[in-house]
Amino acid sequence: MTISTVPPDRNLPISPMRYDPRFQVETKADNLDLGSIFRLVRRRMIMIIAITVLFMAPAAIMIFGLEPTYQGWARLIVHQPLATSLDAEDASHSDLLDAKSETERLLSRSIAERVVRELHLEVREEFNPALREISFIERVRATLRGLFDTKKTTPLDRNNINAIIPEYFRALGVWHEDKSDVVQISFNSTDPLLAAAVPNRIISIYLDERKGSVDARLEAAGEWIRQRITEQQARADISRDAARNYQESMDVVSQEDAQEERIKSFLELTGREGKIEESRVEVEGVISALEAADKASVVAQNIVVPDSIAIKQRDLRGQEQDLARLLETYDGNAEAVVDLRGEIEKSRADLDLATKQYLQTMRAKLTALDHEAEGVQSRLVVAQEKRIRDALVQTELLRLQKIAEKEQTALDKLENQRRDLAAKAMLPGAELEVLSPATVPLAPQGRGRLFYLVGALLAAISGAVTAAFVIEMSDRTVRSFDQITAMARTIPAGLIPRLARWENSKTMFEHMPVPMFDEAIRTVVLSLKQSNGGKSPSSIVVTSAHSGEGKSLVARSLAIELAAAAIPVLLVDGDLRRGKLDSFFRSGLKYGLNEFLNGQADLRDIIYRHPCGIDFIPSGRFSLQRRIRSNGLAEIIEMAGAAGQIVIFDSAPVLASADTVHLTALAEKTLAVVRWGKTSRRAVEFSLQQMKISRNSEIVVAINNVNPARHALYNFSDSELFSKSLMKYYSLKRENT
């Protein structure tokens, strides 16, 4: 049993110093730096290791269960047939096919089915789900699915290719490079021979199917072309017959000479008509001039007349000139003058007669010209009509001939297409340039198992550290007095370290050399005296916010410590409902505090005097009977004070019983026990608030069950109490030496 150096007189002042919580400096437990992270990892090391092992166990099973996968790959370029690119009419086509289209052809379902059948992938467990064993997870999933789906699931068929095709496509990779037309084919398998065989087989099947597809297309196109040629031939024959029949029925002159003759005749008639019109105008002018003149001799002088009339006109003018000369010489009665005048009259009469005859002749000529003009005009009309008719006929004939030529051109084009198809049928479907054929891989794909194990370990450690960080950040429990300094009227009483199981399992009155625990209890005793002005309080209530926080251990440890210092102590089990202190004292009393408060026993009947010097009152049997002694607790405190004893009440939790609040109002000092890392700050604050309602004095707080090793890893100001140097100071080995 620990021997204390505290003097026996409990009323002797120890120190006039008072503890003032206002001078307490709050230190944050974890500022984000490398040191705090290192301390966090150290204090959560067990959890981190547990989570890491929990993550690594299934990961290791999966990694070691993985079979090595081999990858075979081939690289190729797909070309158009060379003869196609040499065709002048096809010169606009590119030499290379569309790489995307050919990539889709390589991924076609038909090629996949042929590869599966020819390489017998259905007998391989890797690609046939029906050959695999159903895992535990799949069984659980099927069971859960059966709870909601009443339909029975049909077992997988081993020969069902629909279940093999998806597995085949998962292992297959076909892609082309963006900056080139190189197509790459890869295949993953646990069998290296199969990994190399599949890409090569895909290439050969692709060529076969490409050839078959081209042949089928060419055959269908050839049949369509032949049908089109037959129909077009019929249309060309019909159009030629229509042109020929029209030409024969309309008597169209197609010879160039006949056409020129008709044009020449038409031109001659047009010229003749013009000449007749000119002659007619001339004759009409002569007739008009002759009819308008009074003297034919005068008119005849102004127009073009025949020679006979012209001679008579000259003779008449000569006679008139001779008459004028004679009159200059002779008078008008001279015989020569008279004779000449007679001759002039006769010549004028002859000229008039000749002029009249000429006028009759001109009128007859005008009539003849009119008649001839009418004939020419009628011939011109006939020729014009025939010419217009010939033009219309020629136009229609040309239209029919153009239609016939168009149909013949279409027929010739179809014939050329038929010949092109026949030529293309002799060419291969595509030309492949295999840059790198698939070879048997010598090493498995990807990293080794060690790499994946290291990666899984790093990931598990990262996840564990993250979980530890989240748990640490969400921790709202009390671990230091730095966290409760903001609560008014509280006095820190010290940190009580946890006891090991073998230490706590011994009888409380056996000698247990636990120096650190004993020193912590002494610190609590000193704190109670300092908070009470340097004197030991006459009554102490030991309580907590919740049950299981170690208040009973602290209460009996305080009683043992005071009894060891020769101070009379009365320990009362004040937890009327679940008091357990009697299991340590083994008093054997029939009655306890419950019976005393209910009036069933006296005070002397419930006190047990232990040989160690501690008087003990058990809790007794709990009863719902109304309490007769409402001031029974005050009587116990008064009785103990009269006997010079310190009363220690091990009360019920504050938040569980109203008796504790009443008891704190009666006792001189209240010691609130908080369990390290379990009691929340919110519970502590609320419980302290409940106790402060009934009393105005300060409440002493002790943190119990502290883990020294972990508490030293925090950045609290009181973490130095458990530093390595102090831990060595409390070492039993050092004491023994």
Side-chain angles (χ1 to χ4, degrees):
M1 188 175 297
T2 304
I3 304 298
S4 176
T5 59
V6 180
D9 188 1
R10 64 182 177 86
N11 294 322
L12 182 64
I14 294 178
S15 174
M17 181 181 65
R18 292 279 304 210
Y19 180 83
D20 192 349
R22 292 177 297 175
F23 294 100
Q24 180 71 21
V25 179
E26 182 178 359
T27 305
K28 293 186 178 179
D30 281 302
N31 295 323
L32 189 58
D33 55 8
L34 294 178
S36 62
I37 294 175
F38 177 72
R39 287 190 294 270
L40 184 148
V41 172
R42 285 189 59 189
R43 62 178 175 261
R44 295 286 181 177
M45 182 61 69
I46 296 177
M47 186 190 71
I48 292 174
I49 293 175
I51 296 176
T52 302
V53 172
L54 183 64
F55 286 167
M56 280 299 298
I61 294 174
M62 293 178 60
I63 291 172
F64 283 106
L66 293 175
E67 296 185 5
T69 302
Y70 296 89
Q71 184 182 63
W73 55 274
R75 300 174 68 247
L76 60 134
I77 300 178
V78 184
H79 294 276
Q80 287 278 12
L82 183 58
T84 303
S85 61
L86 294 176
D87 190 358
E89 296 180 357
D90 228 4
S92 60
H93 292 176
S94 176
D95 182 34
L96 294 174
L97 295 175
D98 186 5
K100 292 184 179 179
S101 301
E102 300 310 310
T103 301
E104 294 300 324
R105 291 181 186 274
L106 291 169
L107 290 171
S108 64
R109 172 73 180 233
S110 59
I111 293 180
E113 291 180 355
R114 286 189 60 182
V115 171
V116 170
R117 292 192 180 96
E118 294 179 6
L119 297 181
H120 303 289
L121 299 184
E122 69 277 0
V123 300
R124 295 178 178 267
E125 181 181 347
E126 180 182 2
F127 300 99
N128 194 343
L131 301 178
R132 304 172 188 167
E133 294 183 1
I134 301 177
S135 63
F136 175 75
I137 297 176
E138 290 295 333
R139 292 194 190 97
V140 173
R141 188 178 300 173
T143 303
L144 295 177
R145 192 183 299 114
L147 296 177
F148 301 98
D149 191 2
T150 57
K151 296 181 180 179
K152 294 183 178 180
T153 57
T154 58
L156 295 176
D157 185 9
R158 294 188 176 185
N159 297 324
N160 186 10
I161 197 172
N162 292 326
I164 303 173
I165 292 297
E167 301 293 333
Y168 163 80
F169 279 120
R170 288 191 188 97
L172 178 66
V174 180
W175 69 96
H176 76 282
E177 299 176 359
D178 294 336
K179 297 182 180 180
S180 66
D181 292 306
V182 176
V183 179
Q184 299 189 22
I185 305 174
S186 66
F187 191 78
N188 298 327
S189 176
T190 57
D191 185 2
L193 297 177
L194 181 64
V198 170
N200 294 330
R201 190 57 187 162
I202 288 176
I203 293 174
S204 60
I205 294 175
Y206 164 76
L207 287 176
D208 294 342
E209 295 222 346
R210 194 81 166 85
K211 176 63 176 175
S213 175
V214 171
D215 291 344
R217 291 175 56 199
L218 291 176
E219 181 63 27
E223 183 64 26
W224 179 79
I225 285 293
R226 285 190 290 272
Q227 184 179 358
R228 287 286 308 277
I229 287 175
T230 302
E231 296 175 356
Q232 189 63 35
Q233 184 67 49
R235 286 195 291 270
D237 293 340
I238 292 172
S239 62
R240 283 195 300 269
D241 293 342
R244 185 173 55 255
N245 294 334
Y246 182 80
Q247 184 177 4
E248 292 176 356
S249 63
M250 299 303 294
D251 191 18
V252 179
V253 178
S254 59
Q255 292 81 4
E256 295 181 359
D257 295 340
Q259 292 180 357
E260 291 179 359
E261 185 66 27
R262 288 185 178 181
I263 294 173
K264 184 177 180 181
S265 176
F266 180 79
L267 293 176
E268 289 179 354
L269 289 174
T270 304
R272 181 60 182 164
E273 184 182 16
K275 291 180 179 180
I276 291 173
E277 185 64 25
E278 291 178 358
S279 298
R280 189 172 177 278
V281 171
E282 184 180 355
V283 171
E284 285 180 351
V286 172
I287 292 173
S288 298
L290 292 175
E291 289 179 350
D294 295 335
K295 293 182 179 181
S297 60
V298 178
V299 175
Q301 294 177 1
N302 298 328
I303 62 175
V304 179
V305 295
D307 294 339
S308 59
I309 295 176
I311 292 171
K312 290 180 178 181
Q313 287 178 346
R314 286 195 300 270
D315 292 342
L316 180 60
R317 284 194 297 271
Q319 290 175 357
E320 288 178 349
Q321 292 175 358
D322 291 339
L323 179 60
R325 284 192 300 270
L326 288 176
L327 289 176
E328 292 177 355
T329 306
Y330 303 98
D331 58 3
N333 295 323
E335 182 179 359
V337 172
V338 173
D339 292 337
L340 186 55
R341 287 181 175 172
E343 291 177 1
I344 290 172
E345 289 294 332
K346 182 179 179 182
S347 297
R348 187 175 288 115
D350 292 339
L351 180 59
D352 292 337
L353 179 62
T355 301
K356 290 179 180 179
Q357 291 177 352
Y358 180 67
L359 178 61
Q360 292 296 329
T361 302
M362 288 295 104
R363 288 176 178 170
K365 185 177 180 180
L366 180 60
T367 301
L369 289 174
D370 290 338
H371 181 70
E372 184 179 1
E374 291 177 358
V376 172
Q377 187 66 32
S378 62
R379 289 173 62 188
L380 279 174
V381 171
V382 173
Q384 185 67 22
E385 291 178 354
K386 189 173 183 180
R387 183 181 177 187
I388 294 173
R389 175 178 170 276
D390 289 343
L392 293 175
V393 171
Q394 287 292 341
T395 302
E396 181 65 19
L397 180 61
L398 288 175
R399 188 183 69 81
L400 293 176
Q401 289 176 349
K402 287 182 179 179
I403 293 174
E405 291 176 358
K406 183 178 180 181
E407 297 295 337
Q408 185 62 37
T409 302
L411 179 62
D412 295 340
K413 185 177 181 180
L414 291 175
E415 288 288 348
N416 292 333
Q417 291 178 352
R418 183 182 64 80
R419 288 191 293 270
D420 290 341
L421 288 176
K424 289 179 179 179
M426 301 174 64
L427 298 175
E431 292 182 358
L432 290 182
E433 182 181 354
V434 181
L435 302 178
S436 300
T439 57
V440 178
L442 301 178
Q445 181 191 11
R447 311 285 183 176
R449 291 178 179 175
L450 180 60
F451 175 82
Y452 292 112
L453 283 174
V454 172
L457 179 61
L458 294 177
I461 293 175
S462 300
V465 172
T466 302
F469 181 79
V470 172
I471 293 174
E472 191 76 18
M473 292 299 103
S474 60
D475 186 10
R476 293 294 180 267
T477 59
V478 176
R479 295 182 183 272
S480 171
F481 287 110
D482 295 343
Q483 298 172 325
I484 60 177
T485 52
M487 302 177 187
R489 291 160 50 198
T490 57
I491 299 176
L495 302 175
I496 304 174
R498 66 171 59 178
L499 292 175
R501 287 183 176 272
W502 65 271
E503 295 170 342
N504 199 15
S505 62
K506 292 180 178 289
T507 307
M508 64 172 292
F509 301 104
E510 296 181 3
H511 177 65
M512 295 185 298
V514 187
M516 187 180 296
F517 182 82
D518 294 344
E519 191 68 26
I521 296 299
R522 294 192 192 100
T523 303
V524 173
V525 173
L526 291 175
S527 297
L528 288 171
K529 289 183 179 182
Q530 289 178 353
S531 63
N532 198 38
K535 297 180 181 181
S536 297
S538 60
S539 57
I540 303 171
V541 176
V542 181
T543 185
S544 61
H546 298 287
S547 61
E549 298 187 8
K551 59 180 178 56
S552 297
L553 174 63
V554 174
R556 71 175 186 261
S557 299
L558 288 176
I560 293 172
E561 180 65 26
L562 292 175
I567 299 175
V569 179
L570 174 62
L571 179 61
V572 181
D573 191 351
D575 192 348
L576 300 178
R577 185 181 294 271
R578 294 187 177 183
K580 297 180 181 179
L581 280 178
D582 195 31
S583 61
F584 293 94
F585 284 89
R586 300 175 184 177
S587 63
L589 296 178
K590 184 178 180 181
Y591 301 108
L593 185 61
N594 272 300
E595 287 78 10
F596 173 73
L597 296 177
N598 294 333
Q600 298 177 1
D602 293 332
L603 189 60
R604 63 179 176 272
D605 298 330
I606 62 173
I607 297 177
Y608 170 72
R609 301 185 183 276
H610 195 271
C612 69
I614 299 176
D615 291 347
F616 171 66
I617 299 178
S619 62
R621 295 181 180 180
F622 177 72
S623 175
L624 296 177
Q625 184 179 356
R626 180 180 294 276
R627 299 172 183 174
I628 297 176
R629 293 187 177 92
S630 58
N631 296 326
L633 298 176
E635 293 178 8
I636 294 175
I637 295 174
E638 184 178 355
M639 181 272 297
Q645 293 179 322
I646 295 178
V647 183
I648 300 176
F649 288 94
D650 178 17
S651 67
V654 177
L655 302 181
S657 175
D659 294 336
T660 302
V661 178
H662 175 65
L663 186 58
T664 57
L666 297 176
E668 188 174 357
K669 277 296 176 182
T670 300
L671 176 62
V673 178
V674 178
R675 185 165 182 174
W676 185 86
K678 181 179 179 181
T679 308
S680 65
R681 280 172 271 178
R682 181 178 179 182
V684 173
E685 184 176 6
F686 185 68
S687 62
L688 292 177
Q689 183 179 2
Q690 293 294 320
M691 290 185 289
K692 290 173 184 177
I693 294 175
S694 59
R695 61 186 294 115
N696 295 322
S697 62
E698 297 168 331
I699 298 174
V700 181
V701 180
I703 300 178
N704 182 40
N705 203 38
V706 178
N707 188 337
R710 291 187 61 187
H711 189 75
L713 297 177
Y714 284 92
N715 197 27
F716 297 120
S717 60
D718 51 14
S719 297
E720 293 298 326
L721 294 174
F722 302 103
S723 61
K724 290 184 178 181
S725 60
L726 294 179
M727 296 296 288
K728 292 179 181 179
Y729 180 80
Y730 288 110
S731 176
L732 289 176
K733 294 181 180 180
R734 186 181 182 91
E735 290 181 357
N736 294 332
T737 58

